[in-house]
Amino acid sequence: MNTLHGTFTQETNFFKGNDVFDLIKQYGSPLYIYNEDILRARCKEMKNLVTYSNFVPHYSIKANTNIHLLKIVHEEGLHADVMSPGEIYLALESGFKPEELFFIPNNVTPEDMQYAIDRGITTSIDSLDQLELYGELNPGGKVAIRFNPGVGAGHHEKVVTGGKKTKFGVNPEYIPEVKRILESYNLTLVGINQHIGSLFMDAAPYIESLSSILDIARQFDDLEFIDLGGGFGIPYHKQDGENRLDINALGEALNPVLEAFAEEYGKNIQFQIEPGRYIPCESCLLLGQVTATKTNADHNYLGCDIGFNTLQRPIMYDSHHDIEIYSKENKDATLAPLTVVGNICESGDILAKDRMLPASTSRGDLIAMMDAGAYGYSMASCYNQRFRPAEILICSDGSVKQIRKRDTFEDLIRNML
Ligand SMILES: *Cc1c(COP(=O)(O)O)cnc(C)c1O
């Protein structure tokens, strides 16, 4: 195999000697491919972010739910955030203990809440109304609250979760009401959390948002933990030279704030963070086949079998994913603008518009959508009755482990009565 375009997989020895053409033949196309070394490296980076002694990164299960990957994340010592009973179920199945989970739902039913209460999982409440509900279900219990500090950040309007224009969190103005509800149900507020948004590449707004959450913390006496949220970005534009979020600088800015607050609060309170995509994103690519090239009204299209059912991010958030191209032959790599499209019957099924890719790319080559490990498979569907792909893991020793089967025709009809 020759890499016609892109350098990331070569630089990281991503495939560890496995041939992508063989992998597609064996596991079907498209195919989600993960690299264990990269996944573990990201976990370790988050574990070691600060030297403050009571610090736990929480992986957000919604970004990637594969149980084999969750086991690795758990082995690396991370805890997990869960958004639904389904995610609680998966986390417990992967070996997380109830006390290692933090349930951060919003607008859930009493049944959802009860599911977490029955399993002893700390729950974060997102509104005064749901705090009342929690009090009714679990009087005398422990609870956490998600506050909205009024600061937002993120790469797209749909992922900014802090600030005035989002549905998330309790406005700190309501702290007197919060206290009244806590008291009337004899609830203890053991934790507070925030999440200002996703994918920031600069530590400043994150550090800035700390002062407001710590101000809120000062107003409660029994806190066991403060969850500072996540949203750590990854460089999706590596091919354009985008820099990584400076994790060392973030850690160095964070550490003294945590130390100082713990001293002031008078206990070695636990600090948590919620890195979601940061953990699995770069450990994965989605590999597919180039199925056709054509020219329509002066526009050059590169057709492939990666439909938006298998990778929703470009359609949902206008997201950019770097692209690599692999060929059996040694071809000319001269670039031209190509619009990369999938196999779904919708004109919006576009993976990349006018992307500079080798003009020689042709049917039979393979195409990889990079950085697909977060919100890739977890958002995939079988729309157009296309099978959801298999997932494989390139293990540290270079062996290949299949961690999810591809859908089959039977899966398409399984739940129909
Ligand atoms: C989704 C989510 C995260 C992680 O967000 P990313 O965009 O994956 O970084 C963290 N905390 C909460 C509460 C979330 O809902």
Side-chain angles (χ1 to χ4, degrees), residues 13-304:
N13 191 19
F14 191 95
F15 300 114
K16 292 194 180 259
N18 294 286
D19 185 282
V20 284
F21 288 90
D22 293 343
L23 294 175
I24 282 282
K25 205 179 202 177
Q26 188 167 355
Y27 300 103
S29 178
L31 175 66
Y32 274 99
I33 307 181
Y34 298 85
N35 177 293
E36 180 178 355
D37 289 346
I38 299 177
L39 180 62
R40 286 192 188 275
R42 293 293 172 265
C43 292
K44 288 185 168 71
E45 249 183 319
M46 288 296 111
K47 267 292 271 186
N48 300 325
L49 183 63
V50 291
T51 53
Y52 178 76
S53 61
N54 194 359
F55 176 77
V56 190
H58 277 226
Y59 169 65
S60 301
I61 303 249
K62 71 175 193 271
N64 191 307
T65 61
N66 191 295
I67 218 165
H68 298 272
L69 305 177
L70 297 184
K71 280 182 181 159
I72 291 175
V73 169
H74 186 234
E75 249 173 55
E76 291 292 339
L78 274 69
H79 293 184
D81 294 332
V82 283
M83 309 287 149
S84 66
E87 289 190 3
I88 293 174
Y89 174 79
L90 279 175
L92 294 173
E93 286 288 305
S94 332
F96 286 91
K97 299 187 191 71
E99 61 271 24
E100 295 172 327
L101 299 180
F102 187 30
F103 185 37
I104 314 181
N106 83 97
N107 304 323
V108 287
T109 61
E111 292 75 21
D112 289 348
M113 244 181 226
Q114 193 64 47
Y115 189 89
I117 292 167
D118 289 345
R119 284 157 187 78
I121 295 167
T122 305
T123 299
S124 166
I125 300 296
D126 185 64
S127 63
L128 297 177
D129 199 7
Q130 293 235 304
L131 187 58
E132 291 269 4
L133 172 63
Y134 188 87
E136 288 163 19
L137 294 174
N138 196 25
K142 294 179 169 186
V143 69
I145 291 179
R146 176 173 181 167
F147 283 98
N148 183 336
V151 189
H155 63 102
H156 187 282
E157 196 184 335
K158 282 188 195 154
V159 303
V160 176
T161 51
K164 302 210 162 42
K165 289 190 192 156
T166 91
K167 70 167 180 170
F168 291 107
V170 174
N171 186 323
E173 284 170 19
Y174 295 127
I175 286 177
E177 280 84 347
V178 165
K179 290 192 167 175
R180 185 188 56 73
I181 299 170
L182 291 173
E183 202 173 325
S184 67
Y185 294 97
N186 196 20
L187 295 170
T188 308
L189 189 73
V190 292
I192 59 172
N193 60 304
Q194 66 168 7
H195 178 57
I196 61 170
S198 288
L199 227 147
F200 55 83
M201 295 304 292
D202 174 13
Y206 193 71
I207 298 295
E208 188 194 324
S209 75
L210 297 182
S211 65
S212 35
I213 187 89
L214 295 179
D215 276 344
I216 296 169
R218 289 184 182 95
Q219 302 180 52
F220 297 94
D221 297 331
D222 305 311
L223 296 181
E224 293 167 10
F225 67 89
I226 300 172
D227 178 334
L228 305 174
F232 301 0
I234 68 107
Y236 280 105
H237 294 263
K238 291 184 185 67
Q239 290 175 351
D240 297 331
E242 187 181 16
N243 289 322
R244 307 192 63 76
L245 172 65
D246 189 339
I247 291 292
N248 287 334
L250 177 61
E252 277 166 23
L254 200 50
N255 205 49
V257 181
L258 308 190
E259 297 281 2
F261 183 83
E263 176 147 3
E264 176 196 332
Y265 201 66
K267 78 170 163 193
N268 189 31
I269 191 165
Q270 182 169 91
F271 281 101
Q272 306 174 354
I273 53 165
E274 305 173 351
R277 83 188 59 221
Y278 192 85
I279 303 288
C281 192
E282 297 166 286
S283 72
C284 170
L285 56 82
L286 175 59
L287 184 66
Q289 306 176 88
V290 175
T291 46
T293 55
K294 77 168 164 188
T295 305
N296 256 2
D298 293 338
H299 234 80
N300 292 320
Y301 289 93
L302 189 63
C304 67

